[in-house]
Amino acid sequence: MKKITIVTGASSGMGAEFARQLFNEYEFASDKKNASQNREIWLIARSSEKLLQTAEKTLSSKSPDSPAKTKIRTFPIDLTGAPGVYKFDGLLKSEAANENFEVECLINNAGFGTYGPFDETSSEKELAMIELNCTALTGICGCVLKYLNSGSQIINVSSLAAFMPLGNFAVYAATKAYVLSFTVGLAAELEPKGIKVCALCPGSVSTNFANVASNGKRKEVLHGRDPVKVVRHCLKKAKKGKKIILTFPKWKFLSFASRFVGKFTVAKLTYKFAKRPH
């Protein structure tokens, strides 16, 4: 049976890095059984052009003289909200009609944030964020359930922001709190079936996140960490069954400390002192 890995938000950043590292893992697997699997990696995002660039970069690690065993496929789909989920479900059903497959890995990475006080940000953009970060992620998990088997895994990308309400970042932090809560609950439900589910909760990572969140006013994420290290650590811990993944000691400390500080206090302090361009 064909094995599928699905990466959403795969056009750049951590999504592209997940695709690259998983491709290399499949291609250079040390055990013959794992190396001989019929595998595909599906890259999903809105931009067809950027997806193709991700596919080319992913395949570039292979020698041109040695054909890749793992097939890379791109699907330009806007996953936002229920309409996006229906498109995704249609893709799965159309593929299943042609060939049996199982989803061995789902990386729910699609999402974005917005900087600024709630009353100064676009309501349309905030609602779209909820539709992508929460509605789409939930629906995608629901769609793949019947294609999962024992040994499959789901990685939902949450955030360090999930642990506390944040001023100037209120809706984004709330969406990621939802992702974290939903993921841990789902992990408990699927564990008896041998399916691993985890939430990756990164702090600042060097991606295009800040550029989008600030409407181009902040090009780089401040103090961003290397996405290569974040993804490598995530994949390692996910295989071991870790439910909540935090890569660096600082992130672990902040998540732990959040238990002892009042939620309103953190929201008020971040609103006052953590101004973000928007």
Side-chain angles (χ1 to χ4, degrees):
M1 180 181 290
K2 183 167 64 174
K3 292 181 177 290
I4 305 295
T5 288
I6 301 171
V7 184
T8 71
S11 59
S12 63
M14 287 201 300
E17 185 58 31
F18 269 113
R20 187 189 69 82
Q21 291 195 27
L22 287 168
F23 174 80
N24 288 337
E25 177 184 323
Y26 299 155
E27 286 295 295
F28 305 110
S30 57
D31 59 290
K32 293 182 180 179
K33 181 180 179 181
N34 194 42
S36 63
Q37 295 284 358
N38 178 19
R39 281 194 169 97
E40 293 182 359
I41 297 178
W42 294 2
L43 307 179
I44 301 178
R46 289 185 300 175
S47 172
S48 176
E49 181 180 354
K50 291 181 179 179
L51 282 176
L52 290 173
Q53 291 173 357
T54 297
E56 290 175 4
K57 289 179 181 178
T58 302
L59 290 167
S60 66
S61 59
K62 284 289 293 181
S63 167
D65 301 325
S66 176
K69 298 185 290 291
T70 305
K71 185 176 181 180
I72 306 290
R73 299 177 66 186
T74 61
F75 299 93
I77 301 173
D78 183 353
L79 294 171
T80 304
V85 173
Y86 299 148
K87 292 175 188 175
F88 177 77
D89 191 43
L91 169 64
L92 292 175
K93 289 177 178 176
S94 65
E95 291 292 323
N98 295 323
E99 182 177 3
N100 288 333
F101 66 86
E102 71 169 310
V103 174
E104 67 173 330
C105 184
L106 167 65
I107 311 290
N108 256 320
N109 174 71
F112 70 94
T114 55
Y115 290 162
F118 181 68
D119 65 350
E120 296 180 19
T121 54
S122 162
S123 294
E124 182 179 359
K125 194 169 184 179
E126 301 283 18
L127 291 173
M129 187 191 346
I130 296 169
E131 290 288 272
L132 182 59
N133 294 8
C134 299
T135 304
L137 178 141
T138 306
I140 289 169
C141 285
C143 290
V144 302
L145 284 180
K146 63 182 178 181
Y147 303 99
L148 302 176
N149 290 318
S150 178
S152 296
Q153 67 176 6
I154 296 173
I155 298 174
N156 289 332
V157 178
S158 181
S159 171
L160 188 59
F163 293 93
M164 273 290 174
L166 300 178
N168 301 311
F169 217 20
V171 178
Y172 177 77
T175 66
K176 292 305 181 177
Y178 169 84
V179 172
L180 177 58
S181 179
F182 167 68
T183 302
V184 174
L186 185 63
E189 293 181 9
L190 296 184
E191 186 176 55
K193 299 179 181 180
I195 299 169
K196 296 182 175 69
V197 184
C198 71
L200 171 61
C201 298
S204 298
V205 181
S206 293
T207 66
N208 196 44
F209 181 91
N211 188 44
V212 173
S214 67
N215 293 310
K217 293 182 179 180
R218 177 178 286 174
K219 301 298 182 183
E220 303 289 338
V221 174
L222 294 180
H223 313 297
R225 305 302 294 263
D226 185 358
V228 175
K229 293 181 179 179
V230 175
V231 170
R232 182 186 301 125
H233 178 263
C234 176
L235 292 174
K236 178 181 177 181
K237 293 299 181 180
K239 288 179 182 177
K240 293 182 178 180
K242 188 77 171 177
K243 305 300 185 295
I244 301 174
I245 299 175
L246 295 137
T247 310
F248 300 105
K250 180 181 178 180
W251 298 354
K252 294 176 183 178
F253 170 77
L254 290 173
S255 68
F256 177 77
S258 70
R259 305 176 190 179
F260 307 101
V261 185
K263 294 182 183 299
F264 179 74
T265 299
V266 174
K268 188 173 182 178
L269 289 173
T270 51
Y271 173 64
K272 187 174 181 179
F273 297 109
K275 303 296 184 182
R276 304 170 188 269
H278 57 283

